[in-house]
């Protein structure tokens, strides 16, 4: 970068006359310290009274300059080897620093001022405006900027990513705000537009080409590292940073976008037109708007589309968060269609779920009906498993459950009770007790339990225990044999006393 002569003169005066240090000069003139040192070095400025010390490289300066004039891009490491062969004894690191001061600077490039016809060109770019903390997620705040090259009307929209959906949505809203669109659009070589480029051979993003075909405009990427070719949108981004975003307070992205629309329709629209100071951008746009291409009759289907695999839990992972789906669709691949407000999940053309979108992270966005259906399904599965187990060991249980169902009893509770009785009494006893309950026309687990207890008492077995006891404790619970109490019913008649006179 060329340093202005006025600035170089001030640096020399402050260093030699005022005796300021390099750091002080850099702070006061708002320049980098290396800039100050370069000016002093190029002009060989030293403090008064300080002799100019001879450098090891001085005998080789003419050789270095001549070599760099022939080969301007020659690496400093190769040049160091060349001067070492000629007797230089300095260090390579210091030599690279010296070469950087002697390397010829490229001549300043002049640019033509480009003029465009009304409705001919629009320029588009992304701008980064810091980050937003949303819950546990740190999201980038991106600004989509579109400028009509003739009238300089600007459109600004903020979003939390720079993905294809946000990119296309910015175009659609800009076209709606302009009431049309220009014939060509200039872009950087971003991946949303250009997938691959070798010189002038460009492979466009097919999704973006379909969008451009729908609106009938020509996308035109600028040359690599040639941002000056779309200087109008670049200057407007700087204008947005200073005139709109600086010290701006907002609650969320929707609030910021509302303020941006008001600014674009107000201050930015009523500023002077660069081509004529007597005309505003609003007036220039009024002349350009009739020349814009009209909007198609049908809108473009927006939304981020991707395929996602559902694991064993009924959740779909999308953009750092999990969204529920019906449990019947686990272990499948589903389609997600998402915009900035909703996340919709499809299987083919059938919509399975519709959730509000979250920009937080590690959140579970759930539809209560999905989880309740899964819970009920699990309960039914457990009940069926219990019924199957009972049917295998006690076939009469099927008839008992059918009778209980006809009378409106809770089959889950009955099944659980019969399974507990099966563990306590065994399959043969349970089968006999169920048949007894059916014969009595009482299809209830209490009837089965009473029948099992009666059978146990008749056989003299100990009562069942839920927990296994130690053997010495179990022996103490041996049943006691009951004895007849007939002998206790006999009256005891004591002998009568006799009088011996």
């Amino acid at each position: 970068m060329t340093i202005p002569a006025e600035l170089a003169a001030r640096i020399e005066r402050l260093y030699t006359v005022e005796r300021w240090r390099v750091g002080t000069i850099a702070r006061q003139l708002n320049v980098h310290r290396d800039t100050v040192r370069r000016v002093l070095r190029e002009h060989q400025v030293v403090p008064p009274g300080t002799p100019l010390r001879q450098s090891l490289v001085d005998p080789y300066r003419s050789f270095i300059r001549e070599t760099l004039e022939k080969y301007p891009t020659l690496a400093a490491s190769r040049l160091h080897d060349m001067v070492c062969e000629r007797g230089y004894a300095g260090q390579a690191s210091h030599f690279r620093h010296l070469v950087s001061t002697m390397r010829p600077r490229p001549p300043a490039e002049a640019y033509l001022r480009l003029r465009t016809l009304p409705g001919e060109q629009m320029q588009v770019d992304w701008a980064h405006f810091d980050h937003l903390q949303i819950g546990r997620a740190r999201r980038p705040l991106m600004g989509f900027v579109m400028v009509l090259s003739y009238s300089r009307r600007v459109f600004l929209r903020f979003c939390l990513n720079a993905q294809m959906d946000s990119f296309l949505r910015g175009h659609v809203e800009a076209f709606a705000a302009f009431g049309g669109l220009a014939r060509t659009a200039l872009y950087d070589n971003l991946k949303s537009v250009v997938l691959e480029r070798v010189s002038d051979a460009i492979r466009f993003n097919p999704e973006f080409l379909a969008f451009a075909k729908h609106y009938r405009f020509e996308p035109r990427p600028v040359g690599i590292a040639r941002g000056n070719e779309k200087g109008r949108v670049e200057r407007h981004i700087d204008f947005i940073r200073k005139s709109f975003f600086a010290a701006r307070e907002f609650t969320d992205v929707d609030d910021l976008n509302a303020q941006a629309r008001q600014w674009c329709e107000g201050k930015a629209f009523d500023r002077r037109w660069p081509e004529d100071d007597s005309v505003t951008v609003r007036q220039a746009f009024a002349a350009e708007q009739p020349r814009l291409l009209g909007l198609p009759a049908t809108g473009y289907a927006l939304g981020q589309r991707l395929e996602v695999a559902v694991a064993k839990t009924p959740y779909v992972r999308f953009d750092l968060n999990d969204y529920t789906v019906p449990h019947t669709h686990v272990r499948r691949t589903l389609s997600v269609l998402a915009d900035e407000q909703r996340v919709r999940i499809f299987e083919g053309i059938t919509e399975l779920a519709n959730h509000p979108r979250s920009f937080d992270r590690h959140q579970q966005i759930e539809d209560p009906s999905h989880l309740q259906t899964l819970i009920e399904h699990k309960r039914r599965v457990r009940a069926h498993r219990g019924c199957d187990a009972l049917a295998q060991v006690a076939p009469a249980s099927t008839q008992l459950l059918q009778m209980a169902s006809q009378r409106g009893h809770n089959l889950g509770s009955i099944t659980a009770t019969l399974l507990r009785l099966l563990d306590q009494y065994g399959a043969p006893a349970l089968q006999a007790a169920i048949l007894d309950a059916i014969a009595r026309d009482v299809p209830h687990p209490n009837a089965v339990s009473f029948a099992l207890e009666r059978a146990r008492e008749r056989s003299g077995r100990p009562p069942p225990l839920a927990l296994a006891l130690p053997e010495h404790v179990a022996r103490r619970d041996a049943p006691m044999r009951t004895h007849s109490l007939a002998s206790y019913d006999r009256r005891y008649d004591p002998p009568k006393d006799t009088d011996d006179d």
Side-chain angles (χ1 to χ4, degrees):
M1 181 182 68
T2 303
I3 299 175
E6 181 182 357
L7 177 61
R10 292 182 65 186
I11 292 174
E12 290 183 34
R13 184 182 67 82
L14 292 174
Y15 187 75
T16 58
V17 178
E18 303 296 340
R19 304 293 183 89
W20 285 13
R21 295 183 177 182
V22 172
T24 304
I25 297 174
R27 284 194 302 272
Q28 297 302 320
L29 300 185
N30 197 24
V31 296
H32 198 274
R33 295 186 180 194
D34 290 346
T35 302
V36 177
R37 293 191 183 99
R38 182 153 63 92
V39 170
L40 299 177
R41 186 169 54 249
E42 289 178 352
H43 295 80
Q44 296 186 354
V45 176
V46 296
T50 303
L52 186 63
R53 187 176 61 181
Q54 187 176 6
S55 173
L56 293 176
V57 80
D58 289 343
Y60 308 95
R61 287 183 181 274
S62 59
F63 170 76
I64 294 173
R65 288 194 177 95
E66 292 175 2
T67 305
L68 289 176
E69 287 177 1
K70 294 181 181 179
Y71 310 101
T73 61
L74 185 65
S77 58
R78 175 62 187 137
L79 194 56
H80 179 259
D81 294 339
M82 295 173 68
V83 295
C84 285
E85 293 173 358
R86 290 164 173 78
Y88 176 70
Q91 296 294 324
S93 58
H94 183 61
F95 182 80
R96 284 196 297 269
H97 175 71
L98 295 174
V99 169
S100 67
T101 64
M102 291 185 284
R103 192 180 295 275
R105 304 292 174 182
E109 185 177 0
Y111 299 96
L112 291 172
R113 186 180 183 121
L114 300 178
R115 298 182 181 274
T116 58
L117 298 175
E120 184 65 26
Q121 185 189 95
M122 52 191 176
Q123 299 183 9
V124 182
D125 203 358
W126 282 112
H128 184 263
F129 292 88
D130 206 354
H131 289 80
L132 292 183
Q133 191 71 32
I134 302 178
R136 291 179 290 179
R138 188 169 183 262
R139 300 279 184 171
L141 181 62
M142 304 298 298
F144 174 88
V145 184
M146 178 181 289
V147 177
L148 294 176
S149 296
Y150 175 78
S151 65
R152 296 345 190 255
R153 181 172 180 182
V154 61
F155 173 83
L156 172 63
R157 181 180 186 274
F158 291 92
C159 50
L160 297 176
N161 57 58
Q163 297 176 354
M164 178 64 80
D165 174 57
S166 300
F167 189 59
L168 300 184
R169 192 175 298 276
H171 283 76
V172 171
E173 294 190 12
F175 297 161
F178 297 159
L181 64 149
R183 289 167 172 78
T184 61
L186 267 60
Y187 301 92
D188 281 328
N189 293 272
L190 65 164
K191 290 298 182 182
S192 297
V193 178
V194 178
L195 292 182
E196 187 179 4
R197 179 168 186 168
V198 179
S199 185
D200 293 334
I202 299 173
R203 183 163 69 93
F204 285 94
N205 189 312
E207 186 174 354
F208 181 75
L209 277 184
F211 177 81
K213 176 182 178 183
H214 181 83
Y215 283 96
R216 305 184 306 278
F217 69 91
E218 178 190 359
R220 187 178 298 170
V222 300
I224 298 176
R226 303 290 290 182
N228 60 285
E229 295 182 10
K230 55 179 186 62
R232 289 174 186 176
V233 69
E234 299 287 352
R235 286 193 296 274
H236 274 79
I237 289 175
D238 185 64
F239 174 55
I240 290 168
R241 294 186 190 279
K242 296 177 180 178
S243 179
F244 172 76
F245 192 76
R248 177 73 53 175
E249 295 183 357
F250 54 94
T251 57
D252 54 20
V253 177
D254 292 336
D255 178 38
L256 183 60
N257 278 327
Q259 297 183 43
R261 285 192 296 270
Q262 184 178 2
W263 180 79
C264 290
E265 298 294 332
K267 179 180 179 180
F269 210 12
D270 293 324
R271 71 189 190 280
R272 68 176 183 84
W273 188 41
E275 304 291 340
D276 187 348
D277 291 347
S278 63
V279 178
T280 64
V281 172
R282 187 184 298 272
Q283 295 170 335
F285 175 73
E288 182 182 26
Q289 207 282 331
R291 306 288 184 88
L292 297 176
L293 295 176
L295 300 176
T298 58
Y300 189 80
L302 296 172
Q304 185 177 353
R305 300 172 179 84
L306 71 159
E307 302 293 321
V308 292
V310 186
K312 61 183 179 181
T313 56
Y315 288 89
V316 163
R317 172 61 59 88
F318 171 74
D319 192 23
L320 306 179
N321 297 294
D322 294 330
Y323 299 83
T324 58
V325 295
H327 71 276
T328 53
H329 290 76
V330 297
R331 303 292 190 182
R332 298 187 186 181
T333 299
L334 304 178
S335 301
V336 172
L337 176 61
D339 56 25
E340 294 178 349
Q341 287 76 38
R342 309 294 299 180
V343 174
R344 303 166 64 193
I345 304 170
F346 292 84
E347 183 180 41
I349 61 174
T350 304
E351 182 176 299
L352 302 177
N354 191 325
H355 299 279
R357 183 168 182 175
S358 171
F359 284 95
D360 201 342
R361 65 183 305 175
H362 301 322
Q363 298 296 307
Q364 291 183 348
I365 297 86
E366 299 172 342
D367 186 339
S369 63
H370 293 161
L371 300 182
Q372 185 61 33
T373 304
L374 176 58
I375 292 172
E376 294 175 355
H377 172 72
K378 288 291 185 181
R379 287 174 178 171
R380 289 195 299 268
V381 168
R382 285 196 294 268
H384 287 315
R385 289 176 180 172
C387 293
D388 293 340
L390 287 173
Q392 292 292 329
V393 297
S397 62
T398 303
Q399 183 180 355
L400 180 75
L401 292 174
Q402 291 175 354
M403 294 172 62
S405 175
Q406 293 172 0
R407 301 187 185 188
H409 296 322
N410 189 331
L411 298 183
S413 176
I414 294 175
T415 303
T417 303
L418 293 179
L419 289 172
R420 187 173 65 254
L421 294 174
L422 173 63
D423 294 337
Q424 294 175 353
Y425 293 93
L430 179 63
Q431 171 71 4
I434 292 175
L435 292 175
D436 183 74
I438 293 173
R440 295 173 181 272
D441 196 23
V442 185
H444 196 275
N446 289 344
V448 179
S449 180
F450 293 153
L452 288 168
E453 279 297 306
R454 287 196 301 269
R456 182 193 64 78
E457 291 177 356
R458 286 195 300 266
S459 64
R461 295 193 306 272
L465 296 176
L467 297 176
L469 298 175
E471 183 179 355
H472 69 282
V473 177
R475 284 199 300 266
R476 297 177 184 177
D477 293 332
M480 296 180 63
R481 181 175 299 177
T482 58
H483 299 277
S484 175
L485 300 179
S487 60
Y488 293 97
D489 293 337
R490 286 185 257 168
R491 290 184 60 186
Y492 174 71
D493 296 330
K496 295 179 178 181
D497 295 335
T498 59
D499 294 334
D500 295 337
D501 293 337

